Amino acid sequence: MPVFYGTEVVSRLMLGTAQYPSPAILAQAFRRSGAGIATVSVRRETGEDRAGQDFWDLVAGLGVKILPNTAGCYSVREAVTTAQMARELFDTPWIKLEVIGEGDSLQPNPFELVDAARILVKDGFQVFPYCTEDLVLCDKLVEVGCEVLMPWGAPIGTGLGLNNVYGLRALRARFPDIPLVVDAGLGLPSQAAHAMELGYDAVLLNTAVAKAGDPAAMAEGFARAVEAGALAYTADPMAPRDMAAPSTPVLGKAFL
């Protein structure tokens, strides 16, 4: 199982908590998925008048590790302030750091992301940066103290899967000892399995489960796919080849 900042989690599947049809369905999805981490937007919570407390009680009752995020932040200042609020609300040094740079694709701003990560690491946070698969950017994030990288598969909420398999494979090769999580863009369990077959440690998704006709069933489907992909990677799969090769040997075959 993956280890993040010294903490081993019980599953390679991480789920978001937004957009579900009801709190009951959210809870069912987590139960059937066996997900080990739930991401929560700080914007869903507030310290005033216990607003959002019912949602927090529900998430706390899931019995999983909480990973607050800075979703919707577009600047270093906004992201850092949101992270500090999250630490107070959820009593954890973990933070999924999002600093968006482009509104249509929700692509991270690489410059602001590195600056925010540097500030938060110095402040004692354990940062999970939502980033692209850019090797230079990821080098900088590791240099400032990030011990996990979370490259996107595709833009958030698109369900397009792994848009740049070459880039994700290169990132795995470049950082063999850094936990890598494909975050965003997955729409089908087969895409999650593909990410694990590349050697990734976990996947994080939300929309593909929350917006499915049966979120709980889809969550279970993703859980099974993630484990299948991880097993395939560790089993050292065969390399593809151009020419056909018979699975039944011809040695000893009678010539008539």
Side-chain angles (χ1 to χ4, degrees), residues 159-161 185-194 203 205 208-209 218 221-222 225-226:
L160 293 173
L186 299 179
L188 292 170
S190 58
Q191 297 164 353
H194 192 187
V203 298
L205 55 120
V209 168
M218 185 63 78
F222 269 100
V226 165

Side-chain angles (χ1 to χ4, degrees), residues 15 37 44 73-74 147 184 194 219-220:
L15 285 181
I37 293 176
R44 296 288 299 274
C73 292
Y74 282 78
E147 298 181 16
H194 192 187
E220 182 177 343

Side-chain angles (χ1 to χ4, degrees), residues 3 10-11 49-50 58 76-77 94 101 108-109 112-113 124 127 144 146 168 170 176 206 243 250 252:
V3 177
V10 300
S11 172
D49 301 323
R50 291 178 57 86
L58 170 65
V76 171
R77 180 179 179 182
W94 281 17
N109 182 322
E112 303 256 315
L113 181 64
V127 179
V144 301
C146 295
L168 292 171
N206 189 159
M243 300 293 291
V250 297

